[in-house]
Structures are given as C-alpha cells and as structure tokens.
Amino acid sequence: KEETDVKDEL
Amino acid sequence: MNIFRLAGDVSHLVAIIILLLKIWRSKSCAGISGKSQVLFAIVFTTRYLDLFTVYISAYNTVMKVVFLALSYATVYLIYMRFRNTYDSENDTFRVEFLLVPVTGLSFLENYAFTPMEILWTFSIFLEAVAIMPQLFMITKTGEAESITTHYLFFLGLYRALYIANWVWRYHTEGFFDQIAVVSGVVQTIFYCDFFYLYVTKVLRGRGKMTLP
C-alpha cells in the first residue's frame, strides 16, 4: 500500500 | 463498498447515536468514560484531516462530518452540559499509558514519514485502544447499564464487520492495508470478553450487566 493510495475507509 | 463495510459503518453510527441519546434522554453520563469519548474525538480529528485535502465520495465526506460532529457533541454533553453526573472517580484510566506508546508507534511504523500519514497512523492505533478506559471503568465498578452494553456491542460489531470487509476486499480487489488490518484485529480482540458477557448476561438476563 502506498502513501498516495486514497484511504476510502472510515 | 460492500455489504460488510456498509453494515460496519451503520453499526458504528448506531453505537454513537445510542450513547448520545442515552446521555441526552437520561440527562446523565453516569457509567460512561469521558476519557474514552475524548480519545474517540481525537481519533476522528486526526484521521479525517483529509477532508481538506482529498474528495473521495459524498458518502465518505458526510459520514466523516457526522462522526466528527457526534463525537464532539458527546464530549460536550459529558464535560459541559451534564458535567455534574460525570463519574470521574471511576474514570481513572491513565490515558498517557495509551497516548505515549501510540504516538511512538505511529512515528516508527507508518506508510510515509509525513505529518498527514503519521497522524492517520496515530488515529488507527489510538482507535484500537480508545475503548480501554470504558472497559476499565466497567471492571472497576463491576457493572454497566444495559444501554451502555448495547453501545459497546454495536461498537464491537462495527469492528468485526470491518474484518469481514477486509477479507472480502482482499479476495475481490487484492486490497490489504496492513496497519489498519493489524490494529483492527487487535481492537476486535478487546471486545471478545465483553461479547461473551453481553450474550450470557445481558441478552439472557435483563437490566444491568454485573461482572462475576
């Protein structure tokens, strides 16, 4: 998992 | 978005609303750990800073804003509005024992050494342990009102459903967020003992949960 990944979970 | 994730988010929301309504209707926060609620407010604040940097979806934005607002409202009710009912004598968990290691770990283990990533990691680690003052308080007094146990049940259910969500996402998308998954599993383990008591005492009995 990369830093640029969007964190879509709450 | 899958059914586990959606159900998990709904459980989380239900838990928070149960607690808020309990305090609002009874005009009392007896038996509730203000420290846990402050920690949850810190969790949401440090995690949802990306509200200002990235747009994901209307669902995502609305839920984040709702969680933030409800958590601050809960803290307000406990420490301001119904302060005289706050049971500070039994809410004695030393939060520095959580904050110091969690801060240290978030600097050591993160996806990138940037303020946003470190704060996000901090929020994930802190959420895993934020319920400990509440569980400590129940252990100390030896009892919890049934409405408080319903709150804890939905909070634990939310965590369990998130694990199902990760299993689903791993198999369908190859998604695996190591920090979130490991902390999420640790967090869920804290609820296992409580789940057992909830089923054996609250669901089969009635009224308060008392510890054996």
Side-chain angles (χ1 to χ4, degrees):
Chain A
K1 190 171 151 64
E2 299 295 320
E3 174 210 355
T4 48
D5 278 0
V6 173
K7 295 180 173 72
D8 66 325
E9 295 187 338
L10 299 165
Chain B
M1 180 64 76
N2 56 65
I3 188 67
F4 303 112
R5 163 73 200 284
L6 184 64
D9 288 346
V10 169
S11 290
H12 198 180
L13 195 59
V14 166
I16 293 171
I17 290 172
I18 284 177
L19 185 67
L20 202 57
L21 281 182
K22 170 207 147 59
I23 297 173
W24 183 253
R25 286 192 179 158
S26 65
K27 302 193 190 311
S28 165
C29 54
I32 302 301
S33 166
K35 290 183 177 181
S36 276
Q37 297 309 314
V38 169
L39 292 179
F40 281 126
I42 296 172
V43 164
F44 290 135
T45 309
T46 50
R47 188 175 311 165
Y48 297 161
L49 290 170
D50 63 356
L51 273 172
F52 300 103
T53 60
V54 59
Y55 177 79
I56 295 158
S57 65
Y59 173 82
N60 195 279
T61 301
V62 169
M63 290 296 268
K64 282 175 174 172
V65 172
V66 168
F67 282 151
L68 276 167
L70 294 181
S71 70
Y72 277 96
T74 307
V75 169
Y76 165 77
L77 290 185
I78 295 173
Y79 285 99
M80 311 282 277
R81 182 124 188 179
F82 302 124
R83 190 192 184 96
N84 53 338
T85 63
Y86 171 50
D87 189 7
S88 58
E89 271 134 57
N90 285 315
D91 193 12
T92 50
F93 192 91
R94 300 278 296 271
V95 286
E96 57 269 37
F97 292 157
L98 299 179
L99 287 170
V100 171
V102 160
T103 306
L105 268 180
S106 58
F107 275 88
L108 285 172
E109 181 70 42
N110 50 56
Y111 293 129
F113 203 76
T114 61
M116 284 285 279
E117 281 295 320
I118 291 169
L119 284 169
W120 177 83
T121 312
F122 170 83
S123 84
I124 295 287
F125 291 157
L126 184 60
E127 187 186 352
V129 293
I131 201 61
M132 287 178 83
Q134 180 66 63
L135 296 176
F136 176 78
M137 196 171 176
I138 291 174
T139 309
K140 192 175 177 188
T141 60
E143 61 180 31
E145 281 179 56
S146 58
I147 190 85
T148 309
T149 67
H150 300 327
Y151 161 71
L152 285 168
F153 171 76
F154 279 101
L155 213 52
L157 182 63
Y158 140 64
R159 293 316 312 180
L161 286 164
Y162 253 69
I163 291 178
N165 157 57
W166 290 323
V167 172
W168 179 267
R169 290 191 73 175
Y170 180 74
H171 286 289
T172 56
E173 307 166 33
F175 171 91
F176 180 69
D177 183 332
Q178 190 181 323
I179 290 177
V181 171
V182 172
S183 336
V185 170
V186 169
Q187 186 177 352
T188 311
I189 292 169
F190 289 135
Y191 289 90
C192 288
D193 181 45
F194 165 78
F195 273 141
Y196 174 76
L197 286 173
Y198 184 78
V199 171
T200 55
K201 298 257 175 186
V202 181
L203 296 185
R204 288 184 195 164
R206 60 200 173 281
K208 285 185 174 181
M209 177 177 86
T210 47
L211 297 183

